[in-house]
Amino acid sequence: MKRIIFSILIASAVASCNIDRNPYGSMDSDLVTQNPEGNLGALMNGTYGQLKAWSDPMHRLGEYAGDNMMIRGASTDAFFEFISYERTPNNGRLQTFWDAGYKAVAQASNIIKLVKEGQSVEIDNQLGECYYIRGMMYFYLCRAFGKPYYQNPETNLGVPIVNGTPDDVINDLNLPDRSTVKQTYEQAISDLKKAESLMTMDKKAVFASKEAAQAMLSRVYLYMSGTYKKPNAEYARLSVEYADKVINSGKYILLSRDQFMKYNTFRPEDNKETIFAIKRVASEFSGSDHYYGIGGMYSNIGGMGWGEMYASAKYISLLNETGRNDWRPGHLNIVDARAAFIEPTYSKDQNSGNYTEVFRFIKYEETRDKQGNLVRANKYVQAPITRTGNIITCKDGIETYTLTPKNAQEGSYTISYKDGKTYDGYIDYFITLNGGHPQFYIVKCSREGEDSQLHSPVISRLGEVYLNRAEANAKLGNYGAALTDLNLIRTRSIVNGAYQNLDASNANKLIDRERQLELAYQAERSYDVFRNGEELVREYPGPHNQYRNIPATDYRVTYFIPQTAINSYPGVLTQNPTSN
């Protein structure tokens, strides 16, 4: 009897895992074909299960390499390479991303290979879900390991296209080298279009759907739409077309401002804005396991989580552009709804039991390392203040400074510092320091169902689709339509915050700003920067090299193929360049 290895033998080659020929989870093809509806459910659960292991490193690759967060200090964990851009091919988290991604590709492919279309609406829908998962995986793998699409996609390498287990896994396991970026995108698009055609059932946002495929196609075509300086009109139009399909389906709504500020607490199946999310449940975690989830690095809630990564000063500054977001107890004033996902850890003085008022600002320093090299850095200062009538002073070290009002109502002041520079800052309460950095906790990946660190990673939601359409329309020169969509998202978060005009001179800046604010901590930021040909600038406190900008053409924009995958691959698997 022929056996179909659903855990996937290709995973043992592509993902370099040591598994048995017939691992747990394999199933006789006769059993599946005799009772497809009874067995496909279990097989589909296994396919979705691969996404859970994949989603953790997927988030870290996309988010840690951006400019929305900072870490308290250097770390020996493999994820620090994503932050520092000190790339190596021997990275365990990178390996997990590769392994789990190709296991999902392989398991979906084997179901597609085994089960015929047209048996029932339910079976066709499940096949469509497999096509969606496979297409999504190829896109995510290619954007991590392949260069941005606008850079010679016909010759730059994407990832291997390996759709299923060979019939003879003993004698016919010779896999192809990496396809080009263009070919990989074509495979992803083909799968997603097939998924769109097969899925007709509405099974809520924790399962793939026609609209999930359309939302992903809108994003894929946006990635292919070139830069603002050199847009590709054909792909921009297709991005608009697929965004239209999702928006016009009427199945999703933008949450109200108040509801959006609690987005992270809703289960994805109950959230009317979520199109597709990878469902996690509390029973999957035991004891301190939540420490190791995505949210556990961003915060400590109820004693659960490491709380070692915080919102970057750059992101905090973006949130405050239209008015100060005041998180202080007793002074709470959220101007930008997205600031609701940030929670500073204010601490009281142990002696008085009161909060200590400080002037918080960021100063610039130049020092020399042991080799005599100039090191430039930005550092937080929380200087205690004293009020004497209308005069406010602060003390940093032995120096006392008089603050100059900038917007006294908001607590915004400037300081003429001893280094000759003038810095802006806010009067605030003292925030607990970790590694010298105020803990601006991020909770967007926490508190689902009010469980401290439970989080179901969001893959697509309606807010992103509107932003996709805005960007694609701007690249087509349809600035009026782009402005309408952009302001729909912006005014949801900022009352009376609408942009007044959008044209070729500011479209890039305004749309990029809104995408950064809206999609922060959803693993999109670094890819958004590079696909539009921009530089990543991270001139804010943190242990990263603050003055080493990363251009979109830098070899470090792409991750290395894991060396263990190359070593075990049955065929040639070409590594990414190690220099420009």
Side-chain angles (χ1 to χ4, degrees), residues 158-307:
V159 295
I161 296 175
V162 186
N163 292 336
T165 310
D167 291 335
D168 185 352
V169 296
I170 303 299
N171 301 309
D172 189 25
L173 195 59
N174 186 26
L175 303 180
D177 196 0
R178 298 165 65 187
S179 298
T180 65
V181 168
K182 185 172 187 282
Q183 290 167 336
T184 311
Y185 270 68
E186 287 172 346
Q187 175 69 50
I189 289 168
S190 174
D191 283 343
L192 291 168
K193 285 185 175 180
K194 184 69 172 179
E196 178 192 20
S197 71
L198 286 171
M199 290 187 284
T200 57
M201 300 174 64
D202 185 1
K203 298 164 66 175
K204 295 193 175 182
V206 295
F207 295 95
S209 64
K210 180 187 295 290
E211 291 75 26
Q214 291 165 343
M216 190 59 63
L217 282 163
S218 175
R219 190 195 300 175
V220 171
Y221 282 124
L222 189 69
Y223 272 61
M224 301 170 72
S225 68
T227 66
Y228 284 90
K229 293 177 181 177
K230 293 186 67 175
N232 184 306
E234 175 189 358
Y235 295 133
R237 279 192 291 270
L238 286 166
S239 181
V240 170
E241 177 185 327
Y242 279 96
D244 283 344
K245 289 182 179 183
V246 178
I247 293 166
N248 296 336
S249 72
K251 292 186 177 181
Y252 311 96
I253 62 170
L254 290 177
L255 298 183
S256 67
R257 186 180 193 271
D258 290 345
Q259 290 294 295
F260 177 66
M261 291 165 70
K262 298 183 288 185
Y263 196 105
N264 56 310
T265 68
F266 299 132
R267 300 188 311 162
E269 58 267 44
D270 300 328
N271 193 324
K272 295 181 180 179
E273 186 169 332
T274 300
I275 299 169
F276 179 64
I278 298 169
K279 177 65 175 176
R280 305 305 303 267
V281 295
S283 61
E284 294 169 6
F285 302 89
S286 61
S288 62
D289 286 356
H290 270 308
Y291 268 84
Y292 300 94
I294 294 169
M297 286 305 299
Y298 291 138
S299 62
N300 180 294
I301 300 174
M304 191 70 68
W306 302 105

Side-chain angles (χ1 to χ4, degrees), residues 155 183 215 286 312 380 411 439 484:
T155 55
Q183 290 167 336
S286 61
S312 70
Y380 276 107
Q439 295 181 147
T484 297

Side-chain angles (χ1 to χ4, degrees), residues 497-510:
Y499 294 118
Q500 298 306 305
N501 62 77
L502 191 77
D503 55 34
S505 69
N506 64 3
N508 185 4
K509 177 182 177 182
L510 299 187

Side-chain angles (χ1 to χ4, degrees), residues 501-567:
N501 62 77
L502 191 77
D503 55 34
S505 69
N506 64 3
N508 185 4
K509 177 182 177 182
L510 299 187
I511 294 172
D512 179 74
R513 174 195 293 164
E514 215 56 37
R515 286 187 72 92
Q516 181 170 8
L517 284 166
E518 184 74 11
L519 304 180
Y521 318 115
Q522 289 181 216
E524 300 296 322
R525 176 58 183 165
S526 59
Y527 302 114
D528 272 351
V529 173
F530 298 135
R531 68 179 173 80
N532 272 316
E534 300 297 329
E535 271 193 333
L536 181 69
V537 179
R538 299 184 298 170
E539 296 178 1
Y540 52 79
H544 59 280
N545 188 329
Q546 299 174 22
Y547 287 88
R548 184 180 68 185
N549 296 347
I550 310 295
T553 53
D554 195 290
Y555 76 96
R556 288 165 295 193
V557 166
T558 56
Y559 291 97
F560 288 123
I561 305 295
Q563 191 61 44
T564 48
I566 292 176
N567 293 344

Side-chain angles (χ1 to χ4, degrees), residues 351-369:
N351 296 321
S352 68
N354 298 321
Y355 294 108
T356 300
E357 279 196 306
V358 298
F359 180 61
R360 183 180 305 102
F361 65 101
I362 295 171
K363 67 178 179 179
Y364 173 83
E365 287 187 354
E366 289 186 353
T367 57
R368 297 280 178 180
D369 63 18

